[in-house]
Amino acid sequence: MIEGAVPELQPPHETGGKEPASNIAQGAWVLYEWANQTYFSLITIFLFPPFFTQVLAANPIEGQAQWGYVQAVAGISIALLSPLLGAMADAAGPRKPWIVVTTLICAAGCFALWFAVPGSPLLPVMVALVVAAIGMEFTIIFANAMLPTIASDRRIGLLSGIGIGVGQLAAIVALVLVLILLQLPGEVEASFIPAEPIFGLSKEAHETDRIIGPISGLWFLVFMLPLLILVPDQKSRGIGRAQAAREGLTRLVATLRSVRHFRNVALYLFSRMLFYDGMTAIFVFGGILAAGIFGWGAMEMAVYGIWVTLFAAFGAFVGGWVDLRIGSKRTLVWSLLGVIATFLLLLSFDRDRIFYVIEVQVAADAGAFTTLPQQLFLLTVGLFGLAVGPVIASSRTMMARISPREMMTEFFGLFALVGKATAWIAPLLIGIVTEATQNQRFGLMVVVPLILAGLIGLFFVKEERASAVVH
């Protein structure tokens, strides 16, 4: 499977039949996904958003709107800075110095979330969330750009899929640890569950919720070390930061001017910008919706997160194999159709209703996961995760396959730019529509046109590598 060529795609790197980097180095790159996914699962998707909307904010409706505004500010900041930083990194050569700085920025934002005390002003919490998001996204830009330099064309799709799958497994491990060490103590008696949360943390003071930030920051710092130590970097060109900035800006302007030469890449980036933004919004706000509908707390959300992530991990692993066999484009098309279908089904459930119109008798004191609407919601969100895994893996692989090798970091900077250029639009629209209609479902419906438009654009993208333009 590793050595099998993808049909009708470009030939592999000219490496004399060998991979550009060792299996150990490629494994260390995969581990970077283990490092970053905890931030997304704990802070962005499953645990911190419900805490933010249900506890820190005045009410869930206002909380969903404010969470949307946080994501919008972070997205705009990343969109403005990412392409320039990517071009600067290409001009200077090495990516690791950039990764060190952005990793520390992300960790600082995560650690600051410990001070998200209920009743205190929300603005510092929102600033910390924006800082963490910016640091994480910039780290991903530089780390993703390393993949085509350490793996052959025949292996990048597989490594990308394995990386996403490993990241999902990391999310599961983190969620299980949070569940056992922080949420279940005092609620469930078992030999493997402590009598009280670790470190004497107080549930009443929401310390078990606030510790999520420092846990994510420390996890990210520790597990980024293998990439920094073992993965070979690009050689330095021996130029300073100021010169790299000038050359990077020149390269970026020239790239934008030569957009006609990169029409295929530009079409893919625009299509991906739309469908990925919509899909990400579902992931980010889906947990908020579930918590609001069914009244789930941190413990239930941890279980929910483990469930969804298991399916996403399996989907990513299978998606890497499918990508290897049929190519990135077809993998994306089929997966996006699954995302749309399962999302529309997710919106059909309420506390006492299924499939939009069927009423279900639910006891007022019904427990978590015991009612038919909750169980069908979990089944559907599992299928959604199964479709999401291949989209995450193959969208990155597609970019690596069609970008010029000589401009890889610059194009991954543009990849982040177009990925974030509308990433603020969906959360902002969700916030505005939610606030205007006072309805969480109506707010989420704005993502459907985005995904459909991106899917239509994807049909016109060719899966072939562009040649570089000499700047």
Side-chain angles (χ1 to χ4, degrees):
M1 180 169 65
I2 290 176
E3 297 304 327
V6 179
E8 301 177 1
L9 297 183
Q10 69 284 344
H13 294 292
E14 296 296 333
T15 58
K18 299 180 180 179
E19 290 291 319
S22 67
N23 289 336
I24 293 177
Q26 292 181 359
W29 183 90
V30 166
L31 200 59
Y32 122 82
E33 294 283 12
W34 178 281
N36 71 52
Q37 189 56 44
T38 298
Y39 160 83
F40 290 108
S41 61
L42 299 187
I43 294 180
T44 303
I45 301 174
F46 298 121
L47 298 187
F48 202 84
F51 172 60
F52 182 94
T53 58
Q54 305 283 329
V55 179
L56 297 180
N59 59 70
I61 299 296
E62 186 176 330
Q64 177 166 303
Q66 290 170 328
W67 188 264
Y69 300 146
V70 166
Q71 302 304 315
V73 172
I76 292 171
S77 302
I78 295 162
L80 292 175
L81 294 174
S82 56
L84 175 59
L85 290 179
M88 288 171 61
D90 274 335
R95 278 86 173 199
K96 287 185 181 180
W98 302 87
I99 292 175
V100 170
V101 173
T102 55
T103 298
L104 292 175
I105 290 173
C106 177
C110 291
F111 284 119
L113 294 179
W114 169 253
F115 301 101
V117 179
S120 61
L122 267 184
L123 182 59
V125 180
M126 297 170 77
V127 171
L129 288 167
V130 170
V131 169
I134 290 173
M136 176 59 73
E137 292 294 342
F138 287 159
T139 301
I140 290 173
I141 291 172
F142 301 121
N144 281 351
M146 299 179 79
L147 177 58
T149 68
I150 65 170
S152 68
D153 288 332
R154 287 182 293 189
R155 192 177 282 193
I156 56 175
L158 186 64
L159 283 180
S160 182
I162 291 174
I164 298 300
V166 166
Q168 300 304 311
L169 292 179
I172 293 170
V173 171
L175 287 165
V176 168
L177 291 176
V178 167
L179 191 63
I180 292 175
L181 300 178
L182 296 175
Q183 300 301 330
L184 291 181
E187 304 287 340
V188 177
E189 292 186 6
S191 59
F192 60 91
I193 298 175
E196 60 182 27
I198 58 170
F199 308 130
L201 296 172
S202 169
K203 287 188 178 181
E204 291 72 20
H206 292 282
E207 291 177 344
T208 52
D209 296 311
R210 291 155 46 202
I211 197 65
I212 294 302
I215 288 174
S216 302
L218 183 61
W219 184 293
F220 190 45
L221 287 174
V222 170
F223 290 109
M224 283 299 293
L225 292 177
L227 180 145
L228 294 172
I229 295 171
L230 299 174
V231 178
D233 202 357
Q234 297 285 89
K235 293 182 179 180
S236 174
R237 293 183 54 215
I239 64 176
R241 286 188 292 270
Q243 185 177 350
R246 288 192 297 270
E247 291 191 17
L249 183 59
T250 302
R251 287 169 60 92
L252 177 60
V253 171
T255 299
L256 294 175
R257 287 178 175 173
S258 59
V259 67
R260 289 186 178 180
H261 181 78
F262 301 117
R263 282 191 299 266
N264 187 59
V265 180
L267 178 59
Y268 171 67
L269 288 175
F270 181 74
S271 302
R272 192 254 185 193
M273 172 179 69
L274 297 174
F275 71 69
Y276 207 85
D277 184 28
M279 187 191 74
T280 302
I282 297 172
F283 240 127
V284 171
F285 289 90
I288 296 174
L289 176 67
I293 292 175
F294 302 118
W296 289 345
M299 183 169 65
E300 291 81 12
M301 289 305 301
V303 174
Y304 164 82
I306 293 168
W307 173 260
V308 177
T309 309
L310 276 171
F311 280 90
F314 181 72
F317 281 121
V318 172
W321 178 82
V322 173
D323 186 292
L324 190 68
R325 296 297 179 184
I326 69 173
S328 300
K329 177 179 173 178
R330 281 185 282 181
T331 303
L332 284 171
V333 168
W334 285 107
S335 299
L336 286 171
L337 291 173
V339 166
I340 294 171
T342 52
F343 172 63
L344 292 175
L345 191 56
L346 279 176
L347 293 181
S348 74
F349 301 111
D350 206 336
R351 184 183 181 278
D352 56 359
R353 188 175 66 246
I354 60 175
F355 307 132
Y356 292 104
V357 296
I358 302 177
E359 299 290 336
V360 178
Q361 291 291 331
V362 175
D365 59 348
F369 313 132
T370 61
T371 67
L372 182 61
Q374 292 184 69
Q375 292 164 355
L376 289 177
F377 185 93
L378 286 175
L379 175 61
T380 305
V381 85
L383 296 176
F384 171 76
L386 195 65
V388 163
V391 175
I392 298 173
S394 290
S395 65
R396 179 172 59 187
T397 304
M398 184 75 167
M399 186 64 190
R401 291 191 190 282
I402 66 178
S403 299
R405 296 191 205 285
E406 303 86 344
M407 305 165 67
M408 195 60 67
T409 316
E410 183 177 345
F411 269 77
F412 268 107
L414 292 171
F415 185 70
L417 167 64
V418 297
K420 293 300 175 182
T422 59
W424 59 272
I425 293 180
L428 182 60
L429 289 176
I430 289 172
I432 292 173
V433 175
T434 300
E435 201 166 23
T437 63
Q438 294 294 295
N439 187 298
Q440 290 178 291
R441 286 184 183 80
F442 289 164
L444 283 173
M445 281 298 295
V446 302
V447 307
V448 175
L450 289 175
I451 299 176
L452 283 174
L455 179 59
I456 292 171
L458 188 62
F459 281 109
F460 299 95
V461 177
K462 297 178 181 179
E463 198 163 353
E464 60 187 26
R465 187 176 301 283
S467 59
V469 171
V470 179
H471 292 319

